[in-house]
Amino acid sequence: MRNEQHSPRPSEGRLGILLPGLGAVSTTFIAGVELVRRGISRPIGSVTQMGTIRLGKRTEGRVPRIQDFVPLASLNDVVFGAWDPFPANAYESALVSGVLNRHEHIEPIADFLMGIEPMKAVFDQNYVKKLEGTHVKPGTSKRAWAEALREDIRTFKAEKGCDRLVMVWCGSTEIYIKQSEIHQTIEAFEAAIDADHPDVAPSMLYAYAAIMEGVPYANGAPNLSVDFPALMKLAEERGVPIAGKDFKTGQTLMKTIIAPGLKARMLGLDGWFSTNILGNRDGEVLDDPGSFKTKEESKLSVLEHILQPATYPELYGKFSHVVRINYYPPRGDAKEGWDSIDIRGWLDYPMQIKVDFLCRDSILAAPIVLDLALFLDLASRAGMGGIQEWLSFYLKSPLAAEGLYPEHDLFIQQMKLKNTLRWMMGEDQITHLGLDYYLEDANTMAGV
Amino acid sequence: MRNEQHSPRPSEGRLGILLPGLGAVSTTFIAGVELVRRGISRPIGSVTQMGTIRLGKRTEGRVPRIQDFVPLASLNDVVFGAWDPFPANAYESALVSGVLNRHEHIEPIADFLMGIEPMKAVFDQNYVKKLEGTHVKPGTSKRAWAEALREDIRTFKAEKGCDRLVMVWCGSTEIYIKQSEIHQTIEAFEAAIDADHPDVAPSMLYAYAAIMEGVPYANGAPNLSVDFPALMKLAEERGVPIAGKDFKTGQTLMKTIIAPGLKARMLGLDGWFSTNILGNRDGEVLDDPGSFKTKEESKLSVLEHILQPATYPELYGKFSHVVRINYYPPRGDAKEGWDSIDIRGWLDYPMQIKVDFLCRDSILAAPIVLDLALFLDLASRAGMGGIQEWLSFYLKSPLAAEGLYPEHDLFIQQMKLKNTLRWMMGEDQITHLGLDYYLEDANTMAGV
Amino acid sequence: MRNEQHSPRPSEGRLGILLPGLGAVSTTFIAGVELVRRGISRPIGSVTQMGTIRLGKRTEGRVPRIQDFVPLASLNDVVFGAWDPFPANAYESALVSGVLNRHEHIEPIADFLMGIEPMKAVFDQNYVKKLEGTHVKPGTSKRAWAEALREDIRTFKAEKGCDRLVMVWCGSTEIYIKQSEIHQTIEAFEAAIDADHPDVAPSMLYAYAAIMEGVPYANGAPNLSVDFPALMKLAEERGVPIAGKDFKTGQTLMKTIIAPGLKARMLGLDGWFSTNILGNRDGEVLDDPGSFKTKEESKLSVLEHILQPATYPELYGKFSHVVRINYYPPRGDAKEGWDSIDIRGWLDYPMQIKVDFLCRDSILAAPIVLDLALFLDLASRAGMGGIQEWLSFYLKSPLAAEGLYPEHDLFIQQMKLKNTLRWMMGEDQITHLGLDYYLEDANTMAGV
Amino acid sequence: MRNEQHSPRPSEGRLGILLPGLGAVSTTFIAGVELVRRGISRPIGSVTQMGTIRLGKRTEGRVPRIQDFVPLASLNDVVFGAWDPFPANAYESALVSGVLNRHEHIEPIADFLMGIEPMKAVFDQNYVKKLEGTHVKPGTSKRAWAEALREDIRTFKAEKGCDRLVMVWCGSTEIYIKQSEIHQTIEAFEAAIDADHPDVAPSMLYAYAAIMEGVPYANGAPNLSVDFPALMKLAEERGVPIAGKDFKTGQTLMKTIIAPGLKARMLGLDGWFSTNILGNRDGEVLDDPGSFKTKEESKLSVLEHILQPATYPELYGKFSHVVRINYYPPRGDAKEGWDSIDIRGWLDYPMQIKVDFLCRDSILAAPIVLDLALFLDLASRAGMGGIQEWLSFYLKSPLAAEGLYPEHDLFIQQMKLKNTLRWMMGEDQITHLGLDYYLEDANTMAGV
């Protein structure tokens, strides 16, 4: 059961992390890594930095840190690059974002943050109505933009002396675009770029440029970006790992925690009402109906996939699922998600669950950026190209192979992630059967 | 990997379910089973009745109902018996309990419920201060009580023509008793019964009688009952399945759903404040400090086992965990659990989660009684004696083999339960690895 | 200080209460009055039925029931009439509405409810997009409709042998109509009726007909209805009491309770986010943006009037106020209002208040219908025509005389109501000064 | 109606504010006043500093600031003194308290705060079990302690060159002491001091010393302190204004806002469950059952007085009222109060209100200290001695004259406060009748 072909090679040299978007999430992520490197703060919420993994039987007591188990890039080897439609550097942007405490977490590393200046963005206001970018690449040719991005990537790699790169989309949510014919094949998509087709959004050009340059790509927004057959195929052919889409933070995170719990216990669902209030740039962008529709689609699909109405028509055949996002400036980045859940138990008696999550958007997203970057880089070194389903754990609308339903249950996703790491390193899979602790004559598998 | 020794034999004849305690939980359970049998209502919340199980690969589409997969007793073959320190029959008790709607769910089966009259209970007010039992077995000899219970069991089995029996404790929470020497060995415990030792609580006598009669036993309250070495050993020697303790309903259910989610994402915990308000007999009993202490111990241990402070000292090394239960009559059986959870994310930024669960105690407990009864009977027919760790899924303080930490994470418990069923029936374990969907050359196990 | 001119004459003979709309609110109101008359249930929430009024000094102990203090019509003298665009009688409508428990509150008075059949409504779907009325007056002439309504009123009065009538609008919310020229004078409005002007909504015709027939009119919805100069003037000229608009229930009730409290303590406000989830016909109607806009206007004005941003620019000069209404069928009539309030205290430190009101729309509205009907009838007998500002207590957007700001603070409204009753009956006003209890030499007014 | 005898004389010279207790509340208060004086921050929550008062008719538009209407002491004339059983100065204490942001609100005025050093306290651990004072007056003689306090007061006044003084108790909650014979007359109380009677708590000695020195006294904790006949009589005889007890902040503030609203609408109450979680020194002190009992008594009485069960037996005759306070360190001073309110409406249908108040204890208390100090000083200058019932607005358990029930309704309290100010300055009382806006022939009072 030893995995030979996909044993990851060691991490050597620098890893460049490229971020389209240098706003609240990116600066919280970048500043955080630097603060951790300097011993000023802790990377809480990051599985690569804080997590452990159980190996073998419960009684063996083998529980190494994940970073001691798989050969991840060290934070000390990471360098950062970014594109943004506004010229503010990471210091200025962090101040404006209002996430981090100025005295504690920005000023002490001001020099470092000032050193991170964004490259000019590929930006088109038709795709993000609420923003007016001023720091953008010239012209309107999508092909020229794609080439400019590839050039940026190569230049960054050379100038920073990177051994490897990864790219994680941290930009705004674009308007809703439905998959069309131009997204079905590599050829059609290339032709659409050349024809400046309106269904080719800027985020797709970033993804395209990354894959063409052999750079693993993850999409943190609900845009299509890399989520269509043409780019999936391209990534697979070129052996480039990809993941997406939409960082699983806040309300959806809670949903993918609680819904599996209700289902585990076969409690019925009449309705799930979710409302969000937030006041950051993300909230402003989502105040545009086009951008909201993109987000809504991503958020609504979650319950259906977890609860499987087709399998459980009596319990989950017809529940109401309403998701609202409200721009409410007093809240800033400190988003609040309120859920009211109407469930049914024994003999159809109704019960209710209310969840109020007073969270912080960028604080939840930042460690996801880090984990996706490090795990994609690991996958790359393990020769695993194409969709990384085991990273679904981090994403609201995870990619899955054609014909497979995506897994949204956080706990199945976690098991998939950890068993993938075990598999990479040649350790036994964990099944939690554990009957050999009780039955001497049980014919069970080892290591469970 | 085929399991030969523990393939369950078919269910034939009647299964008697014996319930110490004929209060809110028991009557809700009994009435529910009868309403389901008559097609009047649905057994929502019961995994044995509503659940499915995925077999093989995701693409195979094999997802049978659990009751079609393993040979469970049919609801039509179930008969009920009970003991109670009050003489009210199931009809009277259901009315008083205030759980079920009289017009819809009690009157239509009034005759059936009136037919279920409790046997006299083994009861001693020293162990449940708030109750004054009037329908009790005579005398004070613990040995005589134990014999009387065994006699009741045999009589019930014969009179009802049962093929098999199971017993599920649905009585009140007794005062806190610490394990002492008398609980360590079978011999010491037998001697303590003979000596009317105060550490032998009535619930222990029920468990003892059940095991001696070869009747599987589950404990739905936080009392010791069967949760000590002497009775565990006795159950193992006699090949009688046991499970316990304390039905996992309401607030603790939510806790074992949410805590694993926080841990999965490596979010830190500063504190978890839990308060309950309830107004039923259970609330009244727990208003006594002795009974509350028993309950508190059971409720407090949950977080520590899920969060593993020893493994994650930075995240979970020193959180406050406060649990309060308040007797508040307006609420009746419609218990409410409110949780305020203080967590930490990236760079130690604090966030909060509030959960308000407007639940119904007995509605959540009733399907657990059913599942435990049917699964214990299944285990018995599969020749699996002693602790059934795979039923931890239903319990607040699950039993585990000596030297093993108990699993509290609802999702690990669910996987353990389902993989145990797969194992019983010779199906492959599910690991959620699933790399063979993506990597042609991956050397993975089958069926994952 | 004795009031001579406006001392109410006694209530004699029957009072007919006419209700445009025979839906959830009306049937809950009608059934309730009948249940109370039969001694089956209690008129909780009704100030006329349950309230008391303090007279004189605190130490006098004079606290009569309001119904013993002012000469209100007795419930036994009330008869009911209604119009509705659907033909269902009160029994059928009550069943469909899902508010009252069938066994307890509908069946015992089924005969009575079946006897209340709606008259055909003046209805035009252009004003309520989501409803398709089938039980409607013929034609499209607004003048003819108005005349038909007047005819209905006269017929009802004669057939039922009523001494007096009042009308309370309990119909759906119409689309948003801005006051225009046709609403400014009686003449312009009459001309607009004759010209079938689109700004003359059906609810205005009901109000017009009522006033022309000398019937006091209250408006329970946020439509204009009687809320414009032409009809106010008409009511004043004809000495007919009017009140409106929009029953103050649920979330807005809580808002007018809490906001005065925050202001009393000079706590600042950054934002107030309000969301509603409801699943009844009202929710469905409000799912139409036109009807929602009417409601939103009514709900939004509340805070501004209570908090007086012009007077307190530092505290209330620029808060966010967001109101959302969501149609969510699982909830039925059991509406839920969730508020998240961001306040500021000493040195601008932020604090939050969350209010979750699990209410029932019609249960809160029904006693308001009763009180408005009885108090309007009282005002009529006291010779008080035109706007009854003292009934603001019951209304979200209370009418006020030109040049006066409306009072939204529930407690000022309550004082206004009670001092008006005291004034009617020649009792001293209460000021809560009360210094004469403490200072012998204080020169204070009597009776305070 | 002009008030001659009690027109306040102007404020001239310095006002010294003396604070027993230099903890979180006191330092937040003192630092806040200094920050406001320097223009760094704002006195939000203070009625004396931010409030306005309407004079005359609504249409007159006369709404001056309260501080422009009555002759209050200016903040610039205020100086501070304190006693504390720990030697930390105001700077050190503010840092430890964890209320104010160090960078923004403590360091900029560090010098000023360091200059405020506490005098040695009269302290006895028997009355506050959880604290071990180290900075205390010597000996155990209560008479000697009282004299030492009087000496402190005189010395402070002379050294600081004060024209007048007031004292506000900001110390910890003492154990529960029931009024006994020694509290009934001045003579008995003096004798008890001389006899070192255990029912004479330290807080009573502070109140006694203040009154004897002619210093107005307010009690911010639920201790008896000044709340018994002997000291009330003494204050009256000596013409010294007094107020108490227990600052109305957080949960009780919300209760006295919401309960009057429910009662205004005649909604019934089944139960009110209140739980608090807090982690400051106050929380620690209240973890002692003796101190908690004192607090509980103060908190429980509120609802009964507002809802008047004797007057409304059907609505408020038998509700459950449970109040819990939980020490929960993660929360620090950022106290959280959660209320679950079970109400009844029309026909007894149940509804629920949940209120979650994420407040800050000291932020809510600090402006109350300021207002009580300035208003007591005003009362003193107006020749109003004894109980100041018009300051009930600020207090959980307000004092009232013998034979009078205390007013707990925040809105009645507010009217009482404002009408008292109007009375002092010879303005008309406001009654909110306002009929003269509508009825030309109405015989109403002026100015309403």
Side-chain angles (χ1 to χ4, degrees), chain C residues 24-342:
Chain C
V25 170
S26 293
T27 55
T28 303
F29 160 60
I30 292 171
V33 170
E34 181 64 10
L35 289 161
V36 171
R37 289 198 285 220
R38 297 198 193 177
I40 295 174
S41 196
R42 303 187 299 168
I44 296 182
S46 162
V47 173
T48 58
Q49 305 306 303
M50 309 289 286
T52 65
I53 185 161
R54 175 188 140 199
L55 303 175
K57 293 168 63 70
R58 255 188 285 174
T59 43
E60 291 180 35
R62 285 201 293 147
V63 190
R65 289 210 156 214
I66 284 172
Q67 57 185 356
D68 298 331
F69 177 58
V70 289
L72 298 172
S74 158
L75 293 192
N76 292 320
D77 294 333
V78 164
V79 292
F80 304 98
W83 293 268
D84 202 87
F86 301 99
N89 63 35
Y91 172 79
E92 296 160 343
S93 176
L95 281 183
V96 167
S97 297
V99 178
L100 299 179
N101 183 288
R102 179 172 190 156
H103 296 291
E104 269 185 271
H105 293 136
I106 299 179
E107 293 302 344
I109 55 169
D111 283 358
F112 173 79
L113 291 172
M114 285 176 193
I116 296 171
E117 304 209 3
M119 297 176 271
K120 285 189 177 173
V122 166
F123 181 81
D124 179 342
Q125 199 179 353
N126 290 316
Y127 297 88
V128 188
K129 305 268 195 259
K130 296 271 177 174
L131 300 186
E132 294 185 35
T134 58
H135 182 66
V136 300
K137 293 201 190 299
T140 60
S141 157
K142 289 180 178 177
R143 173 58 69 188
W145 280 346
E147 292 308 318
L149 289 173
R150 295 183 62 178
E151 181 63 32
D152 285 348
I153 292 170
R154 288 189 298 263
T155 306
F156 179 87
K157 188 172 181 183
E159 283 184 356
K160 301 287 179 179
C162 292
D163 178 61
R164 307 170 317 280
L165 300 176
V166 294
M167 190 187 296
V168 184
W169 174 273
C170 295
S172 293
T173 299
E174 296 170 333
I175 55 163
Y176 185 65
I177 294 177
K178 242 187 135 71
Q179 275 194 29
S180 65
E181 293 211 348
I182 67 134
H183 300 102
Q184 301 309 312
T185 65
I186 300 176
E187 297 67 34
F189 185 66
E190 296 255 5
I193 293 176
D194 293 330
D196 289 330
H197 192 289
D199 286 358
V200 178
S203 70
M204 298 174 192
L205 298 176
Y206 283 92
Y208 172 77
I211 296 168
M212 292 302 288
E213 295 297 321
V215 175
Y217 179 85
N219 175 21
N223 317 323
L224 282 186
S225 196
V226 75
D227 185 9
F228 51 89
L231 288 190
M232 291 185 202
K233 189 81 188 158
L234 189 70
E236 200 183 329
E237 283 187 5
R238 298 187 159 244
V240 180
I242 56 171
K245 63 187 189 217
D246 209 0
F247 297 141
K248 181 146 80 175
T249 55
Q251 194 169 56
T252 303
L253 174 60
M254 288 307 295
K255 209 170 263 180
T256 61
I257 290 171
I258 292 173
L262 301 178
K263 182 187 165 199
R265 279 296 183 82
M266 291 286 103
L267 296 165
L269 186 70
D270 282 0
W272 194 308
F273 176 80
S274 297
T275 200
N276 287 273
I277 54 183
L278 77 168
N280 58 9
R281 197 204 275 178
D282 197 25
E284 208 177 339
V285 165
L286 293 172
D287 216 30
D288 171 62
S291 293
F292 173 65
K293 177 144 179 56
T294 311
K295 193 79 180 179
E296 192 184 23
E297 290 282 314
S298 172
K299 283 174 154 264
L300 280 177
S301 63
V302 167
L303 283 186
E304 203 153 322
H305 279 108
I306 293 178
L307 298 176
Q308 302 177 285
T311 304
Y312 299 104
E314 284 187 283
L315 298 175
Y316 309 119
K318 44 175 188 178
F319 58 85
S320 290
H321 188 196
V322 178
V323 175
R324 295 282 177 266
I325 299 178
N326 302 281
Y327 180 51
Y328 175 71
R331 205 44 66 87
D333 191 75
K335 184 158 79 164
E336 180 166 0
W338 185 74
D339 289 271
S340 183
I341 314 169
D342 288 275

Side-chain angles (χ1 to χ4, degrees), chain B residues 334-411:
Chain B
K335 184 158 79 166
E336 180 166 0
W338 184 74
D339 288 272
S340 183
I341 315 169
D342 288 275
I343 63 175
R344 288 191 174 268
W346 189 241
L347 313 179
D348 277 282
Y349 278 83
M351 295 175 282
Q352 297 183 40
I353 302 171
K354 316 286 175 193
V355 181
D356 192 20
F357 192 1
L358 292 139
C359 64
R360 292 167 190 255
D361 211 27
S362 303
I363 292 298
L364 287 169
I368 296 181
V369 179
L370 177 59
D371 285 2
L372 283 174
L374 298 192
F375 278 144
L376 281 174
D377 173 50
L378 176 72
S380 186
R381 283 183 277 114
M384 296 162 70
I387 297 169
Q388 305 299 306
E389 200 194 17
W390 61 290
L391 298 178
S392 301
F393 180 68
Y394 295 107
L395 298 156
K396 280 200 193 78
S397 297
L399 304 181
E402 221 189 314
L404 272 192
Y405 57 86
E407 281 292 0
H408 280 278
D409 175 331
L410 189 77
F411 304 98

